[in-house]
Amino acid sequence: MTKFVDSSFVKNMREVTRESYLRYWDERNGGNVSYRLLAEEVEGFEDVSEVKATYELGFNASAIAGFYYLVTGTGRYFRNVYDRPTLDLGLVKISEDGKSYDVVWGFEDGGKPTSEFPSHLLSHIERLKVNPEQRVVFHCHPTNLIAMSFTQPLDERHLSRILWKMQAESIVVFPEGIGVIPYMTPGTNAIGEATAAKMSEFQAVLWPHHGLFASGVSLDETYGLVEVIEKAAMIFSQVGAQGGQILQEITDQELQEIADYFGQTPHAGFLDL
């Protein structure tokens, strides 16, 4: 039986997954999270030298060899993580050759990481090139953002501008805008590779008609990124519900002024100045 360890990282995962479920962003077994832990942070768990299971990755993850990830399980429901973290969460270590990973804590009923784990790791690898402090990848199904993928052109500039103009906070939180990939089958290495390619430029990537992949340096920051994107999409939906006629807006010049004030650089070419 896995020892229950309510470290700050497990506690954070329990709270955020529950909150995401309550917002209807992670119905049934939808949604997954991975959180890179440092070696000294793993010390709060029971002896992680005991390998419970080993699985092949199916791609080269040597760039993150030896790294530890706290990750949600495949087929598991976010609503259950809070009460049974040792079943629905697991701590894994990437092998030294980057070809496999060991389960060293959690998944006490024989579970394994989310089917999207390859997509997570590929995105972790890419975001580390952008920011060596990057530690979290969060996948969820924000309702209003998904709805936009049915009604709006799947164009990064177009979608980013809409989300920026819905609230002043947007351009501060995601000044690079939002990335978009074509609709693809989830759970495959192909969608992971496409997402990772976009992660070289964007912190958040839309999977049309499905959900969002977001990244950040902490779980709170990453969840906050999703919150801001979805809030902007919600405002856009409410504007449509009120007839869709926009009488006044945040102008491109005002967006640039907001970005300048907060020391952010908007994605090149996304503003008309």
Side-chain angles (χ1 to χ4, degrees):
M1 181 70 69
T2 298
K3 179 182 177 183
F4 178 75
V5 178
D6 200 14
S7 72
S8 60
F9 305 101
V10 172
K11 182 175 184 292
N12 206 190
M13 287 279 269
R14 293 171 67 210
E15 292 172 343
V16 167
T17 51
R18 181 173 64 175
E19 177 68 21
S20 192
Y21 168 74
L22 291 173
R23 290 185 179 217
Y24 300 104
W25 294 353
D26 297 279
E27 68 290 340
R28 199 172 183 271
N29 63 324
N32 30 81
V33 190
S34 58
Y35 195 158
R36 177 170 62 88
L37 302 189
L38 306 181
E40 57 269 27
E41 293 167 343
V42 172
E43 293 175 0
F45 292 75
E46 66 182 38
D47 185 6
V48 296
S49 63
E50 179 186 347
V51 176
K52 297 174 177 291
T54 300
Y55 300 100
E56 296 297 315
L57 277 170
F59 66 95
N60 183 0
S62 57
I64 51 175
F67 285 16
Y68 289 92
Y69 289 92
L70 184 63
V71 59
T72 52
T74 185
R76 303 308 171 95
Y77 294 17
F78 268 24
R79 71 166 184 258
N80 293 334
V81 173
Y82 190 88
D83 289 326
R84 50 184 229 181
T86 59
L87 280 174
D88 299 332
L89 297 178
L91 183 66
V92 308
K93 182 180 182 182
I94 308 301
S95 66
E96 293 304 323
D97 62 8
K99 295 180 180 179
S100 62
Y101 63 87
D102 296 330
V103 176
V104 297
W105 179 89
F107 297 144
E108 65 179 18
D109 59 353
K112 58 189 297 189
T114 169
S115 61
E116 304 288 2
F117 197 38
S119 295
H120 279 247
L121 294 182
L122 289 166
S123 289
H124 276 290
I125 290 170
E126 201 58 48
R127 288 306 299 176
L128 281 168
K129 298 176 186 176
V130 179
N131 180 2
E133 301 302 315
Q134 191 277 339
R135 298 177 68 173
V136 175
V137 170
F138 188 93
H139 171 55
C140 61
H141 306 156
T143 306
N144 292 279
L145 182 66
I146 295 172
M148 287 181 67
S149 76
F150 288 95
T151 64
Q152 298 300 307
L154 298 177
D155 176 80
E156 292 165 347
R157 184 179 188 273
H158 173 75
L159 289 171
S160 298
R161 286 172 57 80
I162 288 177
L163 296 171
W164 283 348
K165 286 175 175 286
M166 290 300 102
Q167 57 182 353
E169 289 82 359
S170 289
I171 201 165
V172 178
V173 174
F174 54 106
E176 71 281 359
I178 186 171
V180 182
I181 63 171
Y183 178 82
M184 301 175 72
T185 301
T188 64
N189 282 0
I191 196 171
E193 291 165 357
T195 304
K198 288 295 182 181
M199 283 284 182
S200 66
E201 190 175 0
F202 302 95
Q203 281 187 279
V205 179
L206 172 66
W207 287 10
H209 323 321
H210 181 139
L212 183 71
F213 246 63
S215 64
V217 300
S218 70
L219 191 51
D220 286 341
E221 180 197 83
T222 309
Y223 189 73
L225 171 62
V226 178
E227 286 181 307
V228 173
I229 292 173
E230 173 62 1
K231 179 63 175 290
M234 184 185 298
I235 295 170
F236 181 72
S237 295
Q238 287 298 308
V239 170
Q242 293 179 29
Q245 182 180 11
I246 296 178
L247 300 181
Q248 49 274 322
E249 67 172 5
I250 303 174
T251 67
D252 286 43
Q253 181 59 46
E254 289 168 338
L255 286 172
Q256 183 63 61
E257 290 171 1
I258 295 169
D260 289 343
Y261 183 81
F262 286 95
Q264 302 292 350
T265 302
H267 194 293
F270 278 17
L271 293 179
D272 292 328
L273 298 173

